[in-house]
Amino acid sequence: MRPRGGASHVTAPRPYGHDPSFRRSLALFRAFLREQDDPEGCYSLLARDAADQVEAYDGPVAGRTVVDVGGGSGYFTEEFRRRGAHAFLFEPDLTELGDRPPDSAVVADGYLLPLRDGVADVTFSSNVLEHVADPETFLSELARVTRPGGLIYVSFTNWLSPWGGHEWAPWHYFGAERARARYARRTGRPAKHRLGENLFAVHIGSTLRQVRARDDITVVSARSRYWPFLAETVVKAPGIREFATWNLLLIMRRCPT
Ligand SMILES: C[S@@+](CC[C@H](N)C(=O)[O-])C[C@H]1O[C@@H](n2cnc3c(N)ncnc32)[C@H](O)[C@@H]1O
């Protein structure tokens, strides 16, 4: 994730009113295509979209405590704050935090958050799960800091998604190391991600089985994060879902203790 630019403190109008819709998906897709040239526009839009999704399931975040785990340079935290939430960023990587992180950002690993149990109304993690070696422990920590009845938002790009190889996608289908080498050859720069180091092959089927087997959380929705239609249906089709979901969004609730 790239550092934020100057316009991030301006309240931007919401680009669309319904989720899901073609207009929304198209706006997100266009923003992704411009990500390198306009990271500010891309991540601000993504942050507004994700905050809309949280509010669609849980009502306004104003006045609530939101914990953003692995939030990079803080677009999401800033958006939750703009909406009146007490939002806090926890990010382990100083480079990702950049030179202008949100106030009170905490350098912390998602495996071991410096928070007491049940402190968060909403625990939020966007596109982090595929970057941790032990997703189960990561999810346990999210559940621990969420209050009973609180919302847990987790999204990730699964390995077999067309975008699963990140900057070296879609060549990851032909092998991670080969795709990585191709990226370096084509761009003249080393790739940021390496499989087994800072990118892991996370699958939808096994992740769903894992979260559904837990007794501390219930799954409210498992859906494609960006699709304008069949967003929940696609996730119900074993095999196909690994290729067609692109990015899995899990909306979960912490069970009463
Ligand atoms: C692809 S970026 C996503 C950033 C932001 N959440 C977003 O959706 O744009 C992945 C982030 O996960 C963070 N991360 C990796 N391992 C982590 C861990 N163990 N705990 C918390 N965050 C982690 C990285 O530092 C990075 O900021």
Side-chain angles (χ1 to χ4, degrees):
M1 189 167 180
R2 307 255 300 261
R4 285 163 300 130
S8 62
H9 300 285
V10 176
T11 303
R14 294 197 190 180
Y16 40 75
H18 302 288
D19 172 20
S21 77
F22 278 106
R23 197 168 157 218
R24 162 189 178 260
S25 296
L26 196 62
L28 288 170
F29 186 63
R30 286 192 172 136
F32 281 130
L33 294 181
R34 292 194 310 270
E35 192 247 347
Q36 292 298 313
D37 302 326
D38 181 17
E40 171 71 29
C42 175
Y43 287 108
S44 302
L45 177 65
L46 197 58
R48 293 198 296 278
D49 185 76
D52 282 350
Q53 287 179 316
V54 167
E55 292 193 327
Y57 283 99
D58 214 32
V61 292
R64 303 212 186 152
T65 299
V66 179
V67 168
D68 177 9
V69 184
S73 61
Y75 286 100
F76 298 88
T77 298
E78 295 279 27
E79 179 59 30
F80 287 123
R81 285 183 184 175
R82 266 193 286 273
R83 295 177 188 218
H86 309 292
F88 301 94
L89 171 62
F90 294 84
E91 166 58 50
D93 187 332
L94 286 175
T95 310
E96 295 286 344
L97 267 178
D99 49 11
R100 295 195 312 109
D103 291 345
S104 351
V106 181
V107 179
D109 199 296
Y111 289 137
L112 203 62
L113 294 168
L115 291 171
R116 64 179 163 77
D117 294 359
V119 76
D121 297 302
V122 176
T123 308
F124 179 88
S125 164
S126 160
N127 293 336
V128 180
L129 204 69
E130 74 271 39
H131 298 287
V132 300
D134 182 356
E136 206 164 345
T137 302
F138 183 81
L139 288 169
S140 294
E141 190 63 351
L142 299 188
R144 182 188 71 75
V145 302
T146 310
R147 69 164 168 78
L151 192 93
I152 305 172
Y153 177 114
V154 170
S155 92
F156 67 93
T157 305
N158 62 299
W159 176 242
L160 290 176
S161 157
W163 191 240
H166 289 53
E167 71 275 19
W168 23 275
W171 304 98
H172 61 297
Y173 288 129
F174 301 97
E177 275 311 307
R178 189 183 293 185
R180 210 174 168 270
R182 182 185 183 279
Y183 176 90
R185 239 183 3 258
R186 291 285 168 119
T187 64
R189 315 187 283 275
K192 176 178 175 180
H193 296 104
R194 168 164 252 149
L195 193 67
E197 225 170 67
N198 56 2
L199 181 64
F200 298 88
V202 184
H203 300 290
I204 292 179
S206 51
T207 304
L208 285 175
R209 283 191 289 280
Q210 202 184 97
V211 290
R212 284 176 179 149
R214 298 183 68 110
D215 56 11
D216 55 349
I217 51 184
T218 52
V219 178
V220 176
S221 174
R223 55 183 297 177
S224 166
R225 180 172 174 181
Y226 306 121
W227 271 115
F229 54 86
L230 301 176
E232 285 194 330
T233 310
V234 71
V235 174
K236 292 182 180 141
I240 294 168
R241 63 187 170 202
E242 303 293 342
F243 299 92
T245 304
W246 284 72
N247 187 290
L248 181 69
L249 170 57
L250 289 169
I251 300 287
M252 299 171 284
R253 273 198 194 282
R254 177 81 160 93
C255 297
T257 44

Short mmCIF file of all heavy atoms in Angstrom, two decimals, residues 9-63:
data_model
loop_
_atom_site.label_atom_id
_atom_site.label_comp_id
_atom_site.label_asym_id
_atom_site.label_seq_id
_atom_site.Cartn_x
_atom_site.Cartn_y
_atom_site.Cartn_z
N HIS A 9 -7.91 14.07 3.88
CA HIS A 9 -8.66 14.62 5.00
C HIS A 9 -9.94 15.30 4.55
O HIS A 9 -10.71 15.78 5.33
CB HIS A 9 -7.78 15.58 5.81
CG HIS A 9 -6.56 14.89 6.34
ND1 HIS A 9 -6.62 14.02 7.40
CD2 HIS A 9 -5.29 14.87 5.90
CE1 HIS A 9 -5.41 13.52 7.64
NE2 HIS A 9 -4.59 14.01 6.73
N VAL A 10 -10.14 15.37 3.23
CA VAL A 10 -11.34 16.00 2.70
C VAL A 10 -12.44 14.94 2.65
O VAL A 10 -12.22 13.82 2.22
CB VAL A 10 -11.08 16.54 1.28
CG1 VAL A 10 -12.33 17.12 0.68
CG2 VAL A 10 -9.95 17.55 1.31
N THR A 11 -13.63 15.31 3.12
CA THR A 11 -14.73 14.36 3.05
C THR A 11 -15.21 14.26 1.61
O THR A 11 -15.68 15.23 1.04
CB THR A 11 -15.90 14.81 3.95
OG1 THR A 11 -15.39 14.96 5.25
CG2 THR A 11 -17.01 13.80 3.96
N ALA A 12 -15.06 13.08 1.03
CA ALA A 12 -15.46 12.90 -0.37
C ALA A 12 -16.89 12.40 -0.43
O ALA A 12 -17.34 11.70 0.47
CB ALA A 12 -14.52 11.90 -1.03
N PRO A 13 -17.62 12.77 -1.48
CA PRO A 13 -18.98 12.27 -1.60
C PRO A 13 -18.97 10.77 -1.84
O PRO A 13 -18.03 10.24 -2.43
CB PRO A 13 -19.52 13.00 -2.83
CG PRO A 13 -18.31 13.41 -3.60
CD PRO A 13 -17.20 13.58 -2.62
N ARG A 14 -20.01 10.09 -1.41
CA ARG A 14 -20.08 8.67 -1.68
C ARG A 14 -20.40 8.45 -3.15
O ARG A 14 -21.31 9.07 -3.68
CB ARG A 14 -21.17 8.04 -0.82
CG ARG A 14 -20.81 8.11 0.63
CD ARG A 14 -21.64 7.17 1.42
NE ARG A 14 -21.44 7.44 2.83
CZ ARG A 14 -22.04 6.77 3.79
NH1 ARG A 14 -22.88 5.81 3.48
NH2 ARG A 14 -21.81 7.05 5.04
N PRO A 15 -19.67 7.55 -3.81
CA PRO A 15 -19.81 7.43 -5.24
C PRO A 15 -21.03 6.62 -5.66
O PRO A 15 -21.43 6.66 -6.80
CB PRO A 15 -18.52 6.72 -5.66
CG PRO A 15 -18.12 5.95 -4.45
CD PRO A 15 -18.61 6.72 -3.27
N TYR A 16 -21.60 5.87 -4.79
CA TYR A 16 -22.75 5.06 -5.17
C TYR A 16 -23.54 4.76 -3.90
O TYR A 16 -23.02 4.85 -2.79
CB TYR A 16 -22.31 3.73 -5.81
CG TYR A 16 -21.12 3.16 -5.12
CD1 TYR A 16 -21.26 2.56 -3.88
CD2 TYR A 16 -19.85 3.30 -5.66
CE1 TYR A 16 -20.17 2.10 -3.21
CE2 TYR A 16 -18.76 2.83 -4.98
CZ TYR A 16 -18.92 2.22 -3.76
OH TYR A 16 -17.84 1.77 -3.08
N GLY A 17 -24.79 4.42 -4.10
CA GLY A 17 -25.64 4.25 -2.92
C GLY A 17 -25.99 2.81 -2.61
O GLY A 17 -26.46 2.52 -1.53
N HIS A 18 -25.76 1.92 -3.57
CA HIS A 18 -26.22 0.55 -3.34
C HIS A 18 -25.08 -0.45 -3.42
O HIS A 18 -24.16 -0.29 -4.17
CB HIS A 18 -27.28 0.18 -4.39
CG HIS A 18 -28.43 1.11 -4.36
ND1 HIS A 18 -29.36 1.10 -3.35
CD2 HIS A 18 -28.79 2.10 -5.20
CE1 HIS A 18 -30.25 2.05 -3.57
NE2 HIS A 18 -29.92 2.67 -4.68
N ASP A 19 -25.21 -1.48 -2.65
CA ASP A 19 -24.21 -2.53 -2.61
C ASP A 19 -24.94 -3.85 -2.60
O ASP A 19 -25.72 -4.09 -1.71
CB ASP A 19 -23.37 -2.37 -1.34
CG ASP A 19 -22.42 -3.54 -1.12
OD1 ASP A 19 -22.13 -4.27 -2.07
OD2 ASP A 19 -22.03 -3.74 0.04
N PRO A 20 -24.74 -4.72 -3.57
CA PRO A 20 -23.85 -4.54 -4.70
C PRO A 20 -24.56 -3.86 -5.87
O PRO A 20 -25.79 -3.86 -5.95
CB PRO A 20 -23.50 -5.98 -5.09
CG PRO A 20 -24.68 -6.78 -4.66
CD PRO A 20 -25.32 -6.07 -3.51
N SER A 21 -23.80 -3.28 -6.78
CA SER A 21 -24.34 -2.71 -8.01
C SER A 21 -23.23 -2.72 -9.05
O SER A 21 -22.05 -2.74 -8.71
CB SER A 21 -24.84 -1.28 -7.78
OG SER A 21 -23.74 -0.40 -7.73
N PHE A 22 -23.63 -2.69 -10.32
CA PHE A 22 -22.64 -2.65 -11.40
C PHE A 22 -21.81 -1.38 -11.31
O PHE A 22 -20.62 -1.37 -11.54
CB PHE A 22 -23.34 -2.69 -12.77
CG PHE A 22 -23.71 -4.09 -13.17
CD1 PHE A 22 -25.02 -4.52 -13.13
CD2 PHE A 22 -22.73 -5.00 -13.58
CE1 PHE A 22 -25.35 -5.81 -13.47
CE2 PHE A 22 -23.05 -6.29 -13.93
CZ PHE A 22 -24.37 -6.69 -13.87
N ARG A 23 -22.52 -0.30 -10.98
CA ARG A 23 -21.83 0.99 -10.93
C ARG A 23 -20.71 0.96 -9.89
O ARG A 23 -19.60 1.45 -10.13
CB ARG A 23 -22.88 2.06 -10.57
CG ARG A 23 -22.41 3.43 -10.88
CD ARG A 23 -23.59 4.39 -10.78
NE ARG A 23 -23.05 5.71 -10.53
CZ ARG A 23 -23.61 6.60 -9.74
NH1 ARG A 23 -24.72 6.32 -9.11
NH2 ARG A 23 -23.04 7.76 -9.58
N ARG A 24 -21.04 0.38 -8.76
CA ARG A 24 -20.03 0.27 -7.69
C ARG A 24 -18.84 -0.56 -8.16
O ARG A 24 -17.69 -0.15 -8.02
CB ARG A 24 -20.68 -0.38 -6.47
CG ARG A 24 -19.68 -0.94 -5.48
CD ARG A 24 -20.36 -1.76 -4.41
NE ARG A 24 -19.38 -2.30 -3.51
CZ ARG A 24 -18.92 -3.56 -3.57
NH1 ARG A 24 -19.38 -4.40 -4.47
NH2 ARG A 24 -18.00 -3.96 -2.71
N SER A 25 -19.11 -1.75 -8.72
CA SER A 25 -18.02 -2.64 -9.12
C SER A 25 -17.17 -1.99 -10.21
O SER A 25 -15.94 -2.10 -10.19
CB SER A 25 -18.57 -3.97 -9.64
OG SER A 25 -19.21 -4.64 -8.59
N LEU A 26 -17.82 -1.29 -11.11
CA LEU A 26 -17.09 -0.61 -12.18
C LEU A 26 -16.20 0.49 -11.61
O LEU A 26 -15.03 0.63 -12.00
CB LEU A 26 -18.09 -0.02 -13.19
CG LEU A 26 -17.53 0.38 -14.53
CD1 LEU A 26 -16.94 -0.82 -15.26
CD2 LEU A 26 -18.62 1.03 -15.40
N ALA A 27 -16.73 1.24 -10.67
CA ALA A 27 -15.93 2.32 -10.05
C ALA A 27 -14.71 1.73 -9.34
O ALA A 27 -13.59 2.25 -9.46
CB ALA A 27 -16.81 3.10 -9.06
N LEU A 28 -14.92 0.60 -8.64
CA LEU A 28 -13.79 -0.03 -7.94
C LEU A 28 -12.77 -0.56 -8.93
O LEU A 28 -11.57 -0.39 -8.75
CB LEU A 28 -14.30 -1.17 -7.04
CG LEU A 28 -15.06 -0.74 -5.79
CD1 LEU A 28 -15.73 -1.94 -5.13
CD2 LEU A 28 -14.14 -0.04 -4.79
N PHE A 29 -13.27 -1.19 -9.99
CA PHE A 29 -12.36 -1.77 -10.99
C PHE A 29 -11.52 -0.67 -11.64
O PHE A 29 -10.30 -0.81 -11.79
CB PHE A 29 -13.18 -2.54 -12.03
CG PHE A 29 -12.33 -3.27 -13.02
CD1 PHE A 29 -11.48 -4.29 -12.60
CD2 PHE A 29 -12.35 -2.95 -14.37
CE1 PHE A 29 -10.68 -4.97 -13.51
CE2 PHE A 29 -11.55 -3.61 -15.28
CZ PHE A 29 -10.71 -4.63 -14.84
N ARG A 30 -12.17 0.43 -11.98
CA ARG A 30 -11.43 1.55 -12.60
C ARG A 30 -10.38 2.09 -11.64
O ARG A 30 -9.27 2.43 -12.03
CB ARG A 30 -12.40 2.66 -12.99
CG ARG A 30 -13.21 2.30 -14.20
CD ARG A 30 -13.93 3.53 -14.71
NE ARG A 30 -14.56 3.28 -15.98
CZ ARG A 30 -15.78 3.67 -16.31
NH1 ARG A 30 -16.51 4.34 -15.45
NH2 ARG A 30 -16.27 3.40 -17.49
N ALA A 31 -10.76 2.17 -10.38
CA ALA A 31 -9.81 2.68 -9.38
C ALA A 31 -8.61 1.75 -9.25
O ALA A 31 -7.46 2.21 -9.16
CB ALA A 31 -10.52 2.84 -8.04
N PHE A 32 -8.86 0.42 -9.29
CA PHE A 32 -7.74 -0.54 -9.22
C PHE A 32 -6.79 -0.35 -10.41
O PHE A 32 -5.57 -0.43 -10.26
CB PHE A 32 -8.25 -1.98 -9.24
CG PHE A 32 -8.78 -2.43 -7.91
CD1 PHE A 32 -10.02 -3.03 -7.81
CD2 PHE A 32 -8.04 -2.26 -6.74
CE1 PHE A 32 -10.52 -3.45 -6.58
CE2 PHE A 32 -8.53 -2.68 -5.52
CZ PHE A 32 -9.77 -3.26 -5.44
N LEU A 33 -7.37 -0.11 -11.58
CA LEU A 33 -6.53 0.07 -12.78
C LEU A 33 -5.63 1.30 -12.65
O LEU A 33 -4.56 1.35 -13.23
CB LEU A 33 -7.41 0.19 -14.03
CG LEU A 33 -8.20 -1.06 -14.43
CD1 LEU A 33 -9.00 -0.81 -15.69
CD2 LEU A 33 -7.28 -2.27 -14.63
N ARG A 34 -6.09 2.27 -11.86
CA ARG A 34 -5.31 3.52 -11.71
C ARG A 34 -4.49 3.51 -10.43
O ARG A 34 -3.93 4.53 -10.04
CB ARG A 34 -6.26 4.72 -11.68
CG ARG A 34 -6.95 5.01 -13.01
CD ARG A 34 -7.57 6.40 -12.96
NE ARG A 34 -8.38 6.61 -11.76
CZ ARG A 34 -9.68 6.35 -11.68
NH1 ARG A 34 -10.35 5.90 -12.71
NH2 ARG A 34 -10.34 6.56 -10.55
N GLU A 35 -4.45 2.36 -9.75
CA GLU A 35 -3.84 2.31 -8.42
C GLU A 35 -2.41 2.86 -8.38
O GLU A 35 -2.05 3.61 -7.47
CB GLU A 35 -3.87 0.86 -7.92
CG GLU A 35 -3.53 0.71 -6.44
CD GLU A 35 -2.23 -0.02 -6.21
OE1 GLU A 35 -1.72 -0.63 -7.17
OE2 GLU A 35 -1.71 0.05 -5.09
N GLN A 36 -1.61 2.50 -9.38
CA GLN A 36 -0.21 2.95 -9.38
C GLN A 36 -0.10 4.47 -9.56
O GLN A 36 0.73 5.12 -8.94
CB GLN A 36 0.58 2.24 -10.49
CG GLN A 36 0.78 0.75 -10.26
CD GLN A 36 1.59 0.47 -9.00
OE1 GLN A 36 2.62 1.09 -8.77
NE2 GLN A 36 1.11 -0.43 -8.17
N ASP A 37 -0.95 5.03 -10.43
CA ASP A 37 -0.88 6.47 -10.73
C ASP A 37 -1.63 7.30 -9.69
O ASP A 37 -1.28 8.45 -9.44
CB ASP A 37 -1.52 6.77 -12.10
CG ASP A 37 -0.83 5.98 -13.19
OD1 ASP A 37 0.39 5.77 -13.07
OD2 ASP A 37 -1.51 5.56 -14.15
N ASP A 38 -2.67 6.73 -9.13
CA ASP A 38 -3.51 7.50 -8.21
C ASP A 38 -3.87 6.65 -6.99
O ASP A 38 -5.04 6.28 -6.79
CB ASP A 38 -4.78 7.95 -8.96
CG ASP A 38 -5.68 8.78 -8.06
OD1 ASP A 38 -5.22 9.28 -7.02
OD2 ASP A 38 -6.88 8.93 -8.41
N PRO A 39 -2.86 6.32 -6.16
CA PRO A 39 -3.16 5.50 -4.99
C PRO A 39 -4.15 6.17 -4.04
O PRO A 39 -5.01 5.51 -3.44
CB PRO A 39 -1.79 5.31 -4.32
CG PRO A 39 -0.91 6.35 -4.89
CD PRO A 39 -1.44 6.69 -6.25
N GLU A 40 -4.05 7.47 -3.96
CA GLU A 40 -4.96 8.23 -3.09
C GLU A 40 -6.42 7.99 -3.48
O GLU A 40 -7.26 7.64 -2.65
CB GLU A 40 -4.60 9.72 -3.23
CG GLU A 40 -5.56 10.70 -2.58
CD GLU A 40 -5.48 10.64 -1.07
OE1 GLU A 40 -4.41 10.32 -0.54
OE2 GLU A 40 -6.52 10.90 -0.44
N GLY A 41 -6.70 8.15 -4.79
CA GLY A 41 -8.07 7.97 -5.27
C GLY A 41 -8.53 6.54 -5.07
O GLY A 41 -9.65 6.27 -4.64
N CYS A 42 -7.63 5.59 -5.38
CA CYS A 42 -7.98 4.17 -5.29
C CYS A 42 -8.29 3.76 -3.86
O CYS A 42 -9.34 3.20 -3.57
CB CYS A 42 -6.81 3.35 -5.85
SG CYS A 42 -7.04 1.58 -5.68
N TYR A 43 -7.38 4.07 -2.94
CA TYR A 43 -7.58 3.59 -1.56
C TYR A 43 -8.64 4.38 -0.80
O TYR A 43 -9.30 3.84 0.09
CB TYR A 43 -6.24 3.55 -0.82
CG TYR A 43 -5.40 2.40 -1.32
CD1 TYR A 43 -4.28 2.61 -2.11
CD2 TYR A 43 -5.77 1.09 -1.05
CE1 TYR A 43 -3.53 1.56 -2.60
CE2 TYR A 43 -5.04 0.03 -1.54
CZ TYR A 43 -3.93 0.27 -2.31
OH TYR A 43 -3.21 -0.80 -2.80
N SER A 44 -8.84 5.64 -1.18
CA SER A 44 -9.93 6.40 -0.54
C SER A 44 -11.27 5.80 -0.93
O SER A 44 -12.17 5.66 -0.10
CB SER A 44 -9.89 7.87 -0.95
OG SER A 44 -8.65 8.42 -0.61
N LEU A 45 -11.39 5.44 -2.21
CA LEU A 45 -12.63 4.83 -2.68
C LEU A 45 -12.85 3.48 -2.00
O LEU A 45 -13.95 3.17 -1.52
CB LEU A 45 -12.58 4.65 -4.20
CG LEU A 45 -13.80 3.95 -4.82
CD1 LEU A 45 -15.06 4.77 -4.65
CD2 LEU A 45 -13.57 3.65 -6.29
N LEU A 46 -11.79 2.69 -1.94
CA LEU A 46 -11.89 1.37 -1.31
C LEU A 46 -12.28 1.51 0.17
O LEU A 46 -13.07 0.73 0.70
CB LEU A 46 -10.55 0.66 -1.44
CG LEU A 46 -10.55 -0.85 -1.22
CD1 LEU A 46 -11.50 -1.55 -2.18
CD2 LEU A 46 -9.14 -1.40 -1.39
N ALA A 47 -11.73 2.51 0.81
CA ALA A 47 -12.02 2.72 2.23
C ALA A 47 -13.49 3.12 2.43
O ALA A 47 -14.16 2.62 3.33
CB ALA A 47 -11.09 3.78 2.81
N ARG A 48 -13.99 3.99 1.56
CA ARG A 48 -15.40 4.39 1.68
C ARG A 48 -16.30 3.18 1.42
O ARG A 48 -17.30 2.97 2.11
CB ARG A 48 -15.74 5.51 0.69
CG ARG A 48 -15.04 6.82 0.99
CD ARG A 48 -15.71 7.99 0.30
NE ARG A 48 -15.66 7.92 -1.16
CZ ARG A 48 -14.62 8.29 -1.91
NH1 ARG A 48 -13.52 8.74 -1.33
NH2 ARG A 48 -14.66 8.22 -3.23
N ASP A 49 -15.90 2.38 0.45
CA ASP A 49 -16.69 1.21 0.12
C ASP A 49 -16.73 0.22 1.29
O ASP A 49 -17.78 -0.31 1.63
CB ASP A 49 -16.08 0.52 -1.11
CG ASP A 49 -16.93 -0.63 -1.58
OD1 ASP A 49 -17.97 -0.37 -2.20
OD2 ASP A 49 -16.56 -1.78 -1.30
N ALA A 50 -15.57 -0.02 1.89
CA ALA A 50 -15.51 -0.97 3.00
C ALA A 50 -16.30 -0.44 4.20
O ALA A 50 -17.00 -1.21 4.88
CB ALA A 50 -14.06 -1.23 3.38
N ALA A 51 -16.20 0.85 4.45
CA ALA A 51 -16.96 1.42 5.58
C ALA A 51 -18.46 1.32 5.31
O ALA A 51 -19.25 1.04 6.22
CB ALA A 51 -16.53 2.87 5.81
N ASP A 52 -18.85 1.51 4.04
CA ASP A 52 -20.27 1.31 3.68
C ASP A 52 -20.70 -0.12 3.99
O ASP A 52 -21.80 -0.37 4.48
CB ASP A 52 -20.49 1.56 2.18
CG ASP A 52 -20.53 3.03 1.81
OD1 ASP A 52 -20.60 3.88 2.73
OD2 ASP A 52 -20.48 3.34 0.60
N GLN A 53 -19.81 -1.08 3.67
CA GLN A 53 -20.16 -2.48 3.90
C GLN A 53 -20.31 -2.76 5.39
O GLN A 53 -21.24 -3.44 5.82
CB GLN A 53 -19.09 -3.40 3.29
CG GLN A 53 -19.16 -3.45 1.78
CD GLN A 53 -18.07 -4.34 1.18
OE1 GLN A 53 -16.92 -4.27 1.58
NE2 GLN A 53 -18.44 -5.14 0.21
N VAL A 54 -19.40 -2.23 6.18
CA VAL A 54 -19.51 -2.42 7.64
C VAL A 54 -20.83 -1.85 8.13
O VAL A 54 -21.58 -2.48 8.89
CB VAL A 54 -18.31 -1.75 8.37
CG1 VAL A 54 -18.56 -1.67 9.86
CG2 VAL A 54 -17.02 -2.51 8.09
N GLU A 55 -21.16 -0.63 7.66
CA GLU A 55 -22.39 0.02 8.13
C GLU A 55 -23.64 -0.69 7.62
O GLU A 55 -24.67 -0.69 8.28
CB GLU A 55 -22.38 1.50 7.72
CG GLU A 55 -21.28 2.26 8.48
CD GLU A 55 -21.41 3.78 8.37
OE1 GLU A 55 -21.85 4.26 7.30
OE2 GLU A 55 -21.04 4.46 9.35
N ALA A 56 -23.52 -1.33 6.46
CA ALA A 56 -24.67 -2.07 5.93
C ALA A 56 -25.03 -3.24 6.86
O ALA A 56 -26.19 -3.61 7.00
CB ALA A 56 -24.37 -2.59 4.53
N TYR A 57 -24.02 -3.81 7.51
CA TYR A 57 -24.28 -4.95 8.40
C TYR A 57 -24.50 -4.54 9.85
O TYR A 57 -25.14 -5.25 10.61
CB TYR A 57 -23.11 -5.95 8.34
CG TYR A 57 -23.13 -6.78 7.10
CD1 TYR A 57 -22.33 -6.44 6.01
CD2 TYR A 57 -23.97 -7.89 6.98
CE1 TYR A 57 -22.37 -7.19 4.84
CE2 TYR A 57 -24.01 -8.64 5.82
CZ TYR A 57 -23.20 -8.29 4.76
OH TYR A 57 -23.25 -9.03 3.60
N ASP A 58 -23.95 -3.40 10.21
CA ASP A 58 -23.89 -3.10 11.65
C ASP A 58 -24.40 -1.72 12.02
O ASP A 58 -24.28 -1.31 13.16
CB ASP A 58 -22.41 -3.22 12.08
CG ASP A 58 -22.29 -3.75 13.50
OD1 ASP A 58 -23.15 -4.55 13.89
OD2 ASP A 58 -21.34 -3.35 14.20
N GLY A 59 -24.91 -0.98 11.04
CA GLY A 59 -25.38 0.38 11.33
C GLY A 59 -24.21 1.36 11.41
O GLY A 59 -23.05 0.96 11.28
N PRO A 60 -24.52 2.65 11.63
CA PRO A 60 -23.47 3.67 11.64
C PRO A 60 -22.37 3.36 12.64
O PRO A 60 -22.64 2.89 13.74
CB PRO A 60 -24.23 4.94 12.04
CG PRO A 60 -25.65 4.67 11.69
CD PRO A 60 -25.87 3.20 11.85
N VAL A 61 -21.15 3.66 12.23
CA VAL A 61 -20.01 3.39 13.12
C VAL A 61 -19.77 4.55 14.10
O VAL A 61 -18.94 4.42 14.99
CB VAL A 61 -18.71 3.12 12.33
CG1 VAL A 61 -18.79 1.82 11.56
CG2 VAL A 61 -18.35 4.28 11.41
N ALA A 62 -20.50 5.65 13.90
CA ALA A 62 -20.27 6.83 14.75
C ALA A 62 -20.35 6.45 16.23
O ALA A 62 -21.28 5.77 16.66
CB ALA A 62 -21.31 7.90 14.42
N GLY A 63 -19.35 6.87 16.97
CA GLY A 63 -19.33 6.62 18.42
C GLY A 63 -18.81 5.24 18.80
O GLY A 63 -18.63 4.94 19.97
#
